[in-house]
């Protein structure tokens, strides 16, 4: 299985990029990981921005990929539940597991409708920049749980 992360816009803060690099490197010890950025739309009304950004994200989706969108209205999971989801996806022979993080205005209903699953990292509103690091950390944590490593404490 290959992991792909899609998100809208460049990572602007150096400390966020540092976190992304740290956890991406850790994840790559377990499986291939690719991070793709869709260009952020600027200067349009929110619905038009969301539409254009989702069109760009859709073009980055590999054929046959299992899409998971991060959405504040998505399913909440514990870290062990998320690890189980990763493990089952791997064991089912999914070739590409793709996590998508929308821009400031989220996803269109059409893009969200393509998703196998919608998950929420928190009931709180988080910036789409910081969610990148939080997602990567949870993916890393998931693999340490799957492999019985001591990173996760219960």
């Amino acid at each position: 299985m290959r992991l792909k992360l899609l998100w809208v816009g460049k990572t602007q803060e150096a400390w966020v990029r540092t976190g992304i690099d740290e956890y991406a490197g850790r994840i790559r010890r377990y499986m291939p990981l690719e991070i793709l950025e869709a260009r952020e739309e600027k200067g349009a009304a929110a619905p038009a921005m969301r539409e254009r950004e989702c069109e760009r994200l859709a073009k980055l989706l590999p054929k046959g990929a299992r899409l998971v969108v991060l959405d504040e209205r998505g399913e909440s999971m514990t870290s062990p539940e998320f690890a189980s989801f990763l493990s089952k996806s791997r064991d089912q022979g999914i070739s590409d597991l793709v996590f998508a993080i929308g821009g400031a205005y989220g996803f269109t209903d059409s893009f969200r409708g393509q998703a196998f699953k919608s998950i929420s990292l928190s009931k709180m509103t988080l910036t789409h920049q910081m969610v990148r690091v939080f997602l990567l950390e949870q993916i890393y944590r998931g693999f340490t749980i799957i492999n019985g490593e001591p990173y996760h404490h219960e």
Side-chain angles (χ1 to χ4, degrees):
M1 183 172 79
R2 293 178 301 261
L3 285 175
K4 294 186 187 297
L5 273 63
L6 309 179
W7 57 58
V8 174
K10 298 203 177 291
T11 304
Q12 297 167 347
E13 300 291 334
W15 64 271
V16 175
R17 281 193 304 274
T18 299
I20 289 168
D21 292 344
E22 174 67 26
Y23 285 104
R26 292 181 187 197
I27 291 166
R28 288 184 179 112
R29 289 183 276 191
Y30 298 100
M31 72 177 33
L33 170 69
E34 185 177 6
I35 297 173
L36 302 166
E37 295 177 339
R39 187 170 54 85
E40 185 174 16
E41 189 67 27
K42 300 200 185 228
M49 289 173 71
R50 183 175 32 243
E51 185 69 37
R52 289 185 195 121
E53 289 171 350
C54 285
E55 286 171 4
R56 291 178 188 128
L57 287 171
K59 288 178 182 176
L60 296 173
L61 279 175
K63 287 198 186 293
R66 180 168 280 181
L67 175 63
V68 178
V69 295
L70 273 76
D71 189 288
E72 61 191 10
R73 295 167 286 183
E75 175 186 351
S76 294
M77 294 184 199
T78 64
S79 294
E81 289 168 342
F82 184 66
S84 177
F85 170 72
L86 290 173
S87 179
K88 286 177 185 173
S89 296
R90 180 196 61 196
D91 295 347
Q92 290 171 349
I94 304 300
S95 59
D96 291 296
L97 182 61
V98 179
F99 291 91
I101 300 169
Y105 297 102
F107 300 111
T108 60
D109 290 339
S110 173
F111 188 82
R112 195 179 295 109
Q114 296 177 56
F116 170 78
K117 186 179 268 308
S118 176
I119 61 174
S120 172
L121 293 178
S122 173
K123 290 183 180 187
M124 294 181 176
T125 302
L126 305 169
T127 71
H128 60 283
Q129 296 275 317
M130 290 178 19
V131 165
R132 299 167 185 191
V133 178
F134 296 155
L135 173 60
L136 284 162
E137 191 280 335
Q138 284 301 301
I139 292 170
Y140 171 68
R141 182 179 296 273
F143 283 118
T144 64
I145 291 169
I146 291 166
N147 289 290
E149 296 169 12
Y151 182 77
H152 180 75
H153 305 285
E154 290 191 325

